Amino acid sequence: MKLVCQIVVGALLLGSCSKESDNVAVSTTPPPVSSSKNVVNKASMLALVNEVRAKGCNCGSTYMPPVGPLTWNDNLEKAALVHTVDMITKSFFEHTGSDGSTPSQRVTNAGYSWMATGENIAMGYTSEKDVMNAWLASEGHCLNIMRKEFKELGAARVGNYWTQEFGTPR
């Protein structure tokens, strides 16, 4: 089973999740905490996001015109990694952390001063391209990727768990 979830936090709070079933075996055994590190290909993730932002796309029934590129932010990456490690080591999949934290709290705790922030999560994908295709096929996730207010991105992957954190700095 593959899962994708998104959330936008700011003046507006939205969330959606969808499940995909296929014949791909997905390990649910988390790696040891000591080996949990970010294995997302930052350059690939940023290029995939910026490619779709530059072209514009249909997010479900909503056409999103081209928007400016995002830049990588290490504090957003840190927040993404904290949540990804939490999900895989505690065997859960949701935006609320095992400690009750919200995406905006994790982003703040990572040292990011924000005006707007959003989060996409996914589980079960093995490459940046595959997880991006899943997020783009889901209207809510796609809208996060295409939101013109967002200026920065950080992402993390541990095993087959993924988190993208978007932000607009203060």
Side-chain angles (χ1 to χ4, degrees), residues 2 24-26 124-131 157 159-160 162:
K2 294 182 180 184
V24 176
V26 177
Y125 298 92
T126 58
S127 72
E128 287 76 9
K129 184 176 179 181
D130 289 342
V131 76
R157 172 188 176 197
N160 290 329
W162 299 78

Side-chain angles (χ1 to χ4, degrees), residues 112-128:
Y112 189 78
S113 179
W114 56 274
M115 292 181 6
T117 188
E119 177 176 89
N120 285 349
I121 60 174
M123 179 179 70
Y125 298 92
T126 58
S127 72
E128 287 76 9

Side-chain angles (χ1 to χ4, degrees), residues 43-67:
S44 177
M45 179 65 73
L46 190 59
L48 289 165
V49 167
N50 284 334
E51 180 181 328
V52 72
R53 286 175 65 91
K55 291 179 182 174
C57 67
N58 288 315
C59 294
S61 61
T62 305
Y63 174 72
M64 299 300 291
V67 293

Side-chain angles (χ1 to χ4, degrees), residues 37-40 45 72-88 94 102-103 105-112 117-122 135 153-158 161-166:
K37 62 179 183 173
N38 189 6
V39 294
V40 72
M45 179 65 73
W72 194 265
N73 182 281
D74 291 339
N75 288 337
L76 291 173
E77 176 188 0
K78 180 180 172 185
L81 183 59
V82 164
H83 190 55
T84 306
V85 168
D86 187 31
M87 287 191 298
I88 197 166
E94 58 188 79
T102 65
Q105 288 169 330
R106 289 188 295 275
V107 166
T108 299
N109 290 343
Y112 189 78
T117 188
E119 177 176 89
N120 285 349
I121 60 174
W135 281 326
L153 168 71
R157 172 188 176 197
V158 178
Y161 284 71
W162 299 78
T163 304
Q164 278 183 324
E165 298 291 354
F166 300 92

Side-chain angles (χ1 to χ4, degrees), residues 129-159:
K129 184 176 179 181
D130 289 342
V131 76
M132 277 295 297
N133 285 337
W135 281 326
L136 291 172
S138 168
E139 186 170 6
H141 306 97
C142 182
L143 290 171
N144 256 357
I145 291 166
M146 294 301 296
R147 188 170 170 190
K148 70 180 177 181
E149 292 82 9
F150 291 148
K151 304 300 180 199
E152 298 177 321
L153 168 71
R157 172 188 176 197
V158 178

